[in-house]
Structure formats: C-alpha cells, structure tokens
Amino acid sequence: MSLTGKRVLLIIGGGIAAYKALDLIRRLRERGASVLPVLTAAGKQFVTPLSVASLAGVSVHEDLFSLTEEASMGHIELSRAADLVVVVPATADLIAKAANGLANDLASTLLLATDKKVLMAPAMNVRMWLHAATQRNVAQLERDGVLFVGPADGEMACGEFGPGRMVEPLDIVAAIEKALASSTVIPLPGNGPLAGRKIIITSGPTHEPIDPVRYIANRSSGQQGHAIAKAAARAGARVVLVSGPVAIPDPSGVTTHHVETAREMLAAVEAALPADIFIGAAAVADWRVENAGAQKMKKSTSGMPSLQFAENPDILASVSAKSKDRPALVVGFAAETENVIAYAQDKLARKKCDLIIANDVSPERGVMGGSKNEVHLVSKSGVESWPLLDKDEVARRLVDTFSAHFKKGGVA
Ligand code: CTP
C-alpha cells in the first residue's frame, strides 16, 4: 500500500530503541508519507532534534509552551493535523501517562487532544513490560481503542531476555498501513455516521445451570459482538451491550449489562428496547436444563444424572416479531459448520430478520475464540462474501454497512 499523502504524527519517546524511529521516518517518507515529528525530553537523550528534523524534512516539535506561545501551530491543531498518531518507542512512562489521561508535556497533551487513532510500539525492559501496572495501562489503552504493535521477544540492551524489544521499523510501517486502511478519525460522542442511533447487541455465550456449580456453555468468546459494540460506539451510536459470561473487558463508551442465561439475556434486551438496530451476536444456548438442581448434585446419592431440557426463548426471533418497537434493522448471526449460506438463508426467513451474518465455525476454521472471521452477509437482496479479516475489521465494515442502510433509508 502506498502511503502517498498520508501524514503521521510521530512521537519519539525516551528509550534506546529511539534510534529505530530515525529509520522509520526514512521508510515512511520513501512510501510517500509526511512525518510531523515530536521529541520528548527523554527522547532527546537518545536522538537529536537535528537528526530527526534532517530526516523528516521539517522542524521538530518539542515543547508544549513554546508551541502555544509562538502560536505557529497550537497543540490542538498539531494533534489533529495528521492522519495517524504513532508513538515510537512507547515507553512505560508514555503508556502510563496516556492510560491515565495526563497532559503535562507536549507528547502526553497531543495524545489526549487528538481525534485520530493512536498506534504505539512499546519498548522497555522485560520486567517493566510485564509489571502489573504496565499491563493494566496497556489493557486500558486497548479498551480506549489504542492500537499496539509488539513488543517482540528478544535480548535487550540491558542484557535481559524476554518481551519488551521494540519491533522493527518495517513491522511498524505494516501496522501503520493497516491502521490507515480504514478511517482513523475518532468522532466525538454524538458525532459520526451512527450519531443519534441506539443499538442493542447481544454477545458471548449463555450459561445454562445444571446445578449451582455446573452449567452448559459453548465456545463463544464474545470477541465479534464486543468488537461491533466498540465500533458502533466509535461511529457515534448509543450502544447497549448485553453480554453473556466472557473473559474479555467491557468495551469503553458502551453500556454493558452482564447476564448468564438466555432468559436473563432476553429480559435485558426487552428492558433496553426500543432501539434503531438490534444485533444478535450471542451464541445463545438453544436449551436450558429444566430440572436443574437447587443444590449441588452428589455423585454418591443421585447416581447417573438425568437432565431434562426445555427450549430457550429465541431472542432474535422475538425482537424481529415485535409489532410495536421493532428496530428498523434486525441483524442475526448464523454460526454453522456446514451448508453455511443455505442455513443462513433459512434463518433469515425463519427469524424474519433483515440481515444474517453467516460464518463457518467448524473447529478447523478457528473462528470461535480466534481473532479472525470470514463472513457472508445474507439478505433478501443476495449474498455478499468478505475475505478472512480481523474481527475488529469485520466490526468496522459492518458498522459502515449499517450506516449506509440508514443513509439509503433501506435494507443494507
Ligand atoms: N439466537 C437467539 N436466541 C436463541 C438462539 C439464537 O437470539 N435462543 C440468535 C443468535 O444470537 C444468532 C441467531 O439467532 O443471531 C442464530 O443463532 P444460531 O444458534 O445459529 O441459530 P439457532 O436458532 O440455534 O438455529 P440452529 O440451532 O438450527 O442452528
């Protein structure tokens, strides 16, 4: 991919890996991008403003106050002048500041003021990287939508071995290209293509109790549903996420209700209605155990248990069937292991929804619990198949599809 015309705001932090930022500038400019360099006070200990400016072909921004006083370009303007903000190396200190919203120097102020995606390439000592505080900060930034590339495993300048080495400039270029492949503007709440829309999304599995300590579950991780919730919130929608038990964090900017069973999920969805869009991404258990024990079943006294099943309510079908308050767009998922399109078409008709997102969840595809998904959009107007993509990218494209639906005023 050519980076012609793309502008990268490059924040160079203070670490031994800062020298790689110089090579990165060269690689980006070779590909047609322009670089707005920012050097932190610590970064200046490792690379000089002169070498950065010579390679970037523009002067280096270093000081928050001179920037505002000179009024050449205020920090707000600078933070938004680029298509993408890239932090190389992202030190433990910069990560901690960004995770906590500090703004006490130019770099941290830019990170707080920007309306663009941020990509960080961490580099630090292995113990600093693995420290609970850094991991907590990284998890927070990921929830906030910050992208990360690396760190890699390897021998470090300090002589220790493990994760913490910054990835190579070409890996960062690839991550920049990937980030720039879709929109990098983060709309303010209330702005964006889904502004003013309310979306309810179910996600994850449901757990159906057998007794107080045992349950029936499935392999859904909630990643796809949560990614859609995050992408929809970023597109300006008011999002209610009804999540079954998952091991992933609640997305930021989304109201999340935690439930266990299908019946609790239905109740939470009913309570959240009305909405403009309903998306059933949860892998809802088809059955519950009707004779679930109030106490733990004992091996010694009860012999072989005999479970009786009852059918769970179909949340998607019941939302679709509403005569009053039916969302304008009702979207279901079809997780299949064979006849993917045919079964999806059947579900579209049976559950009376507007769109089914079908995917093949055969174990060899690695979709359930994995980070990628290959989906087919099945609607009355036909089938659109997408290539294998990251679940985040699938989510972004789905949100674009939903936005287009409302623009067109018809079925996507
Ligand atoms: N779904 C739901 N409530 C249920 C079962 C499924 O809301 N009790 C929703 C899912 O969230 C998904 C869609 O229906 O959007 C299809 O789910 P799936 O389990 O594939 O369909 P089933 O109705 O269970 O059909 P089958 O068992 O025949 O595959």
Side-chain angles (χ1 to χ4, degrees):
M1 179 190 156
S2 160
L3 292 174
T4 308
K6 297 293 181 189
R7 286 154 306 164
V8 172
L9 181 68
L10 180 67
I11 297 175
I12 305 174
I16 192 74
Y19 76 93
K20 290 187 189 174
L22 299 178
D23 189 32
L24 177 65
I25 295 174
R26 208 166 54 81
R27 306 274 184 185
L28 289 172
R29 294 196 67 202
E30 270 168 15
R31 285 163 177 75
S34 56
V35 176
L36 292 168
V38 174
L39 196 52
T40 66
K44 236 192 300 184
Q45 304 294 321
F46 294 89
V47 291
T48 66
L50 187 61
S51 49
V52 175
S54 313
L55 284 164
V58 292
S59 57
V60 182
H61 299 288
E62 298 171 52
D63 185 4
L64 178 60
F65 295 106
S66 75
L67 198 63
T68 46
E69 272 161 26
E70 283 171 21
S72 52
M73 193 192 265
H75 60 272
I76 302 287
E77 204 184 327
L78 179 60
S79 74
R80 297 177 192 175
D83 297 296
L84 185 70
V85 180
V86 180
V87 187
V88 172
T91 59
D93 181 65
L94 274 172
I95 288 173
K97 278 181 178 163
N100 289 286
L102 293 189
N104 58 0
D105 59 11
L106 181 59
S108 54
T109 304
L110 294 175
L111 288 169
L112 200 61
T114 189
D115 63 346
K116 301 297 169 11
K117 274 191 207 162
V118 175
L119 171 71
M120 293 193 167
M124 67 196 75
N125 167 274
V126 56
R127 283 188 181 273
M128 290 169 73
W129 172 252
L130 294 176
H131 194 286
T134 304
Q135 290 302 309
R136 202 165 52 232
N137 290 334
V138 169
Q140 179 58 53
L141 288 173
E142 279 178 333
R143 274 198 292 281
D144 296 345
V146 171
L147 307 168
F148 282 87
V149 53
D153 275 13
E155 193 161 348
M156 318 198 115
C158 52
E160 288 185 64
F161 191 89
R165 252 178 86 91
M166 193 169 86
V167 295
E168 296 305 317
L170 283 179
D171 299 320
I172 301 173
V173 170
I176 289 172
E177 285 173 343
K178 195 171 153 204
L180 286 169
S182 52
S183 167
T184 58
V185 181
I186 301 165
L188 283 172
N191 277 331
L194 288 178
R197 305 285 174 195
K198 180 175 168 191
I199 307 190
I200 304 174
I201 304 174
T202 65
S203 183
T206 62
H207 284 184
E208 306 297 331
I210 295 172
D211 67 18
V213 296
R214 303 181 178 95
Y215 57 84
I216 294 173
N218 61 64
R219 295 186 194 284
S220 169
S221 64
Q223 280 185 68
Q224 188 63 81
H226 279 53
I228 297 169
K230 194 161 76 178
R234 293 209 154 223
R238 193 149 59 88
V239 182
V240 177
L241 177 67
V242 181
S243 173
V246 293
I248 54 176
D250 294 349
S252 64
V254 167
T255 305
T256 306
H257 297 295
H258 295 274
V259 297
E260 294 235 336
T261 66
R263 286 188 295 176
E264 287 168 9
M265 190 170 268
L266 175 64
V269 167
E270 296 278 358
L273 282 167
D276 298 288
I277 307 178
F278 174 78
I279 304 166
V284 186
D286 289 323
W287 309 282
R288 65 178 179 276
V289 180
E290 208 172 24
N291 59 337
Q295 304 298 332
K296 184 185 165 194
M297 288 184 191
K298 301 299 286 178
K299 184 167 61 194
S300 51
T301 53
S302 53
M304 288 298 255
S306 154
L307 303 180
Q308 279 148 31
F309 289 98
E311 199 168 326
N312 266 331
D314 191 312
I315 302 165
L316 178 63
S318 87
V319 172
S320 277
K322 293 213 173 292
S323 49
K324 190 171 154 276
D325 286 346
R326 184 194 189 272
L329 188 59
V330 177
V331 181
F333 272 73
E336 307 293 352
T337 55
E338 57 178 358
N339 303 329
V340 177
I341 304 289
Y343 282 153
Q345 282 164 334
D346 172 60
K347 262 168 213 174
L348 182 78
R350 201 159 31 89
K351 305 202 183 197
K352 295 188 174 52
C353 35
D354 305 301
L355 179 68
I356 286 277
I357 299 152
N359 55 5
D360 187 341
V361 293
S362 313
E364 65 274 14
R365 314 280 294 183
V367 167
M368 268 203 164
S371 64
K372 290 189 187 283
N373 205 354
E374 190 175 337
V375 302
H376 312 272
L377 274 61
V378 179
S379 69
K380 272 194 208 134
S381 45
V383 179
E384 186 183 321
S385 297
W386 291 354
L388 185 68
L389 298 165
D390 272 355
K391 287 181 176 173
D392 283 338
E393 182 57 22
V394 170
R396 278 193 288 275
R397 291 188 187 199
L398 285 175
V399 163
D400 289 347
T401 305
F402 304 150
S403 311
H405 166 87
F406 283 103
K407 244 192 239 156
K408 275 195 306 205
V411 173

Coordinates of all heavy atoms in Angstrom, one line a residue, residues 202 262 265 278-287 311-318 331-336 343 346-347 350-351 356-357, ligand 1:
T202 N -26.3 -8.3 21.5 CA -26.0 -9.4 22.4 C -24.7 -10.1 22.0 O -24.3 -10.1 20.8 CB -27.1 -10.5 22.4 OG1 -27.1 -11.2 21.1 CG2 -28.5 -10.0 22.7
A262 N -30.0 -17.5 28.9 CA -30.7 -17.0 27.7 C -31.9 -16.2 28.2 O -32.2 -15.1 27.6 CB -31.2 -18.1 26.9
M265 N -30.8 -12.9 29.3 CA -30.4 -12.1 28.1 C -31.6 -11.5 27.5 O -31.7 -10.3 27.2 CB -29.6 -13.0 27.2 CG -29.0 -12.2 26.0 SD -27.8 -13.3 25.1 CE -26.3 -13.0 25.9
F278 N -30.9 -3.9 16.2 CA -30.7 -5.0 17.1 C -29.7 -5.9 16.4 O -29.9 -6.3 15.3 CB -32.0 -5.7 17.5 CG -31.7 -6.9 18.4 CD1 -31.4 -6.8 19.7 CD2 -31.7 -8.2 17.8 CE1 -31.1 -7.9 20.5 CE2 -31.4 -9.3 18.5 CZ -31.1 -9.2 19.9
I279 N -28.7 -6.3 17.1 CA -27.7 -7.3 16.6 C -27.6 -8.5 17.5 O -27.1 -8.3 18.7 CB -26.3 -6.6 16.3 CG1 -26.5 -5.4 15.5 CG2 -25.4 -7.6 15.7 CD1 -25.3 -4.5 15.5
G280 N -28.0 -9.6 17.1 CA -27.9 -10.8 17.9 C -26.6 -11.5 17.6 O -26.5 -12.4 16.7
A281 N -25.5 -11.2 18.3 CA -24.2 -11.8 18.0 C -23.9 -12.9 19.1 O -22.9 -13.6 19.0 CB -23.1 -10.8 18.0
A282 N -24.8 -13.0 20.1 CA -24.5 -14.0 21.1 C -24.8 -15.4 20.6 O -25.6 -15.6 19.7 CB -25.4 -13.7 22.3
A283 N -24.0 -16.4 21.1 CA -24.3 -17.8 20.9 C -25.2 -18.2 22.0 O -24.7 -18.7 23.0 CB -23.0 -18.6 20.8
V284 N -26.5 -18.0 21.8 CA -27.5 -18.3 22.9 C -27.7 -19.8 22.9 O -27.9 -20.4 21.9 CB -28.8 -17.6 22.6 CG1 -29.8 -17.8 23.7 CG2 -28.6 -16.1 22.3
A285 N -27.7 -20.4 24.1 CA -27.9 -21.8 24.3 C -29.4 -22.1 23.8 O -30.3 -21.4 24.2 CB -27.7 -22.2 25.7
D286 N -29.5 -23.1 23.0 CA -30.8 -23.4 22.5 C -31.7 -24.0 23.6 O -32.9 -23.9 23.6 CB -30.8 -24.4 21.3 CG -30.2 -23.7 20.1 OD1 -30.5 -22.5 19.9 OD2 -29.4 -24.3 19.3
W287 N -31.1 -24.7 24.5 CA -31.8 -25.4 25.6 C -31.3 -25.0 26.9 O -30.2 -24.6 27.1 CB -31.7 -26.9 25.4 CG -32.0 -27.4 24.1 CD1 -33.2 -27.6 23.5 CD2 -31.0 -27.8 23.1 NE1 -33.1 -28.0 22.2 CE2 -31.8 -28.2 21.9 CE3 -29.7 -27.8 23.0 CZ2 -31.2 -28.6 20.7 CZ3 -29.0 -28.3 21.8 CH2 -29.8 -28.7 20.7
E311 N -36.7 -25.8 25.7 CA -36.2 -24.9 24.7 C -36.1 -23.5 25.3 O -37.1 -23.0 26.0 CB -37.1 -24.9 23.5 CG -36.4 -24.4 22.3 CD -37.1 -24.7 21.0 OE1 -37.8 -25.8 20.9 OE2 -37.1 -23.8 20.1
N312 N -35.0 -22.8 25.0 CA -34.9 -21.4 25.5 C -35.7 -20.5 24.5 O -35.9 -20.8 23.4 CB -33.4 -21.0 25.4 CG -32.8 -21.2 26.8 OD1 -33.4 -21.1 27.8 ND2 -31.5 -21.5 26.8
P313 N -36.0 -19.3 25.0 CA -36.7 -18.3 24.1 C -35.7 -17.9 23.0 O -34.5 -17.9 23.3 CB -37.0 -17.1 25.0 CG -36.1 -17.3 26.2 CD -35.8 -18.7 26.3
D314 N -36.2 -17.7 21.8 CA -35.3 -17.2 20.7 C -35.3 -15.7 20.7 O -36.3 -15.0 20.4 CB -35.8 -17.7 19.4 CG -34.7 -17.5 18.3 OD1 -34.2 -16.3 18.2 OD2 -34.3 -18.4 17.6
I315 N -34.2 -15.1 21.2 CA -34.2 -13.6 21.4 C -34.3 -12.9 20.1 O -35.1 -11.9 19.9 CB -32.9 -13.2 22.1 CG1 -32.8 -14.0 23.5 CG2 -32.8 -11.7 22.4 CD1 -31.5 -14.0 24.1
L316 N -33.6 -13.3 19.1 CA -33.6 -12.7 17.8 C -35.0 -12.7 17.2 O -35.5 -11.7 16.7 CB -32.5 -13.4 16.9 CG -32.4 -12.9 15.5 CD1 -31.9 -11.4 15.4 CD2 -31.4 -13.7 14.7
A317 N -35.5 -13.9 17.2 CA -36.9 -14.1 16.6 C -37.9 -13.2 17.3 O -38.8 -12.6 16.7 CB -37.3 -15.5 16.6
S318 N -37.8 -13.1 18.6 CA -38.8 -12.4 19.4 C -38.6 -10.9 19.1 O -39.6 -10.1 19.0 CB -38.8 -12.7 20.8 OG -37.9 -11.9 21.6
V331 N -30.5 -7.7 13.0 CA -29.4 -8.5 12.4 C -29.1 -9.7 13.2 O -28.9 -9.6 14.4 CB -28.1 -7.6 12.3 CG1 -27.0 -8.3 11.6 CG2 -28.4 -6.3 11.6
G332 N -29.0 -10.8 12.6 CA -28.7 -12.1 13.3 C -27.3 -12.6 12.8 O -26.8 -12.2 11.7
F333 N -26.8 -13.5 13.5 CA -25.6 -14.3 13.1 C -26.0 -15.7 12.9 O -27.0 -16.2 13.5 CB -24.5 -14.3 14.2 CG -23.6 -13.1 14.1 CD1 -24.1 -11.8 14.4 CD2 -22.3 -13.2 13.6 CE1 -23.3 -10.7 14.3 CE2 -21.5 -12.1 13.5 CZ -22.0 -10.8 13.8
A334 N -25.3 -16.4 12.0 CA -25.6 -17.8 11.8 C -24.2 -18.5 11.9 O -23.3 -18.3 11.0 CB -26.2 -18.1 10.5
A335 N -24.0 -19.2 13.0 CA -22.7 -19.9 13.2 C -23.0 -21.3 12.8 O -23.8 -22.0 13.4 CB -22.4 -19.8 14.7
E336 N -22.4 -21.7 11.7 CA -22.7 -23.0 11.1 C -21.4 -23.8 10.9 O -20.3 -23.3 10.9 CB -23.4 -22.9 9.7 CG -24.6 -22.0 9.7 CD -25.8 -22.6 10.5 OE1 -25.7 -23.7 10.9 OE2 -26.8 -21.9 10.7
Y343 N -28.2 -22.5 5.3 CA -28.7 -22.4 6.6 C -29.0 -21.0 7.0 O -30.0 -20.6 7.7 CB -27.8 -23.1 7.6 CG -27.9 -24.6 7.7 CD1 -26.8 -25.3 8.1 CD2 -29.0 -25.3 7.3 CE1 -26.8 -26.7 8.1 CE2 -29.1 -26.6 7.3 CZ -28.0 -27.4 7.7 OH -28.0 -28.7 7.8
D346 N -32.1 -19.8 5.4 CA -33.2 -20.4 6.2 C -33.5 -19.5 7.5 O -34.6 -19.2 7.8 CB -32.9 -21.8 6.5 CG -33.9 -22.4 7.4 OD1 -35.1 -22.4 7.0 OD2 -33.6 -22.8 8.6
K347 N -32.4 -19.2 8.2 CA -32.5 -18.4 9.4 C -33.1 -17.0 9.1 O -33.9 -16.5 9.9 CB -31.2 -18.3 10.1 CG -31.0 -19.3 11.2 CD -29.7 -19.4 11.8 CE -29.5 -20.9 12.1 NZ -28.2 -21.2 12.6
R350 N -36.8 -17.6 8.7 CA -37.4 -18.2 9.9 C -37.5 -17.1 11.0 O -38.5 -17.0 11.7 CB -36.6 -19.4 10.3 CG -37.4 -20.3 11.2 CD -36.7 -21.8 11.2 NE -35.3 -21.9 11.1 CZ -34.4 -21.8 12.1 NH1 -34.8 -21.6 13.3 NH2 -33.1 -22.0 11.8
K351 N -36.4 -16.4 11.1 CA -36.4 -15.4 12.2 C -36.8 -14.0 11.8 O -36.7 -13.1 12.6 CB -35.0 -15.4 12.9 CG -34.5 -16.8 13.3 CD -33.4 -16.8 14.3 CE -33.0 -18.2 14.7 NZ -32.2 -18.2 15.9
I356 N -28.5 -11.5 7.9 CA -27.9 -12.6 8.6 C -26.4 -12.5 8.3 O -26.0 -12.5 7.1 CB -28.4 -14.0 8.3 CG1 -29.8 -14.2 9.0 CG2 -27.5 -15.1 8.8 CD1 -29.8 -14.6 10.4
I357 N -25.5 -12.5 9.3 CA -24.1 -12.6 9.1 C -23.7 -14.0 9.4 O -23.8 -14.5 10.5 CB -23.4 -11.6 10.0 CG1 -23.9 -10.2 9.7 CG2 -21.9 -11.7 9.8 CD1 -23.8 -9.2 10.8
Ligands
CTP1 N1 -30.4 -16.6 18.8 C1 -31.2 -16.0 19.8 N2 -31.8 -16.8 20.7 C2 -31.7 -18.1 20.7 C3 -30.9 -18.8 19.7 C4 -30.3 -18.0 18.8 O1 -31.3 -14.8 19.8 N3 -32.3 -18.8 21.7 C5 -29.8 -15.8 17.7 C6 -28.3 -15.8 17.8 O2 -27.9 -14.7 18.6 C7 -27.9 -15.6 16.3 C8 -29.1 -16.3 15.6 O3 -30.1 -16.4 16.5 O4 -28.0 -14.2 15.9 C9 -28.7 -17.7 15.1 O5 -28.2 -18.4 16.1 P1 -28.0 -20.0 15.9 O6 -27.6 -20.6 17.2 O7 -27.0 -20.2 14.8 O8 -29.4 -20.4 15.4 P2 -30.4 -21.4 16.0 O9 -31.7 -20.7 16.1 O10 -29.9 -22.0 17.3 O11 -30.6 -22.5 14.8 P3 -29.9 -23.9 14.7 O12 -29.8 -24.5 16.0 O13 -30.9 -24.6 13.8 O14 -28.6 -23.7 14.0

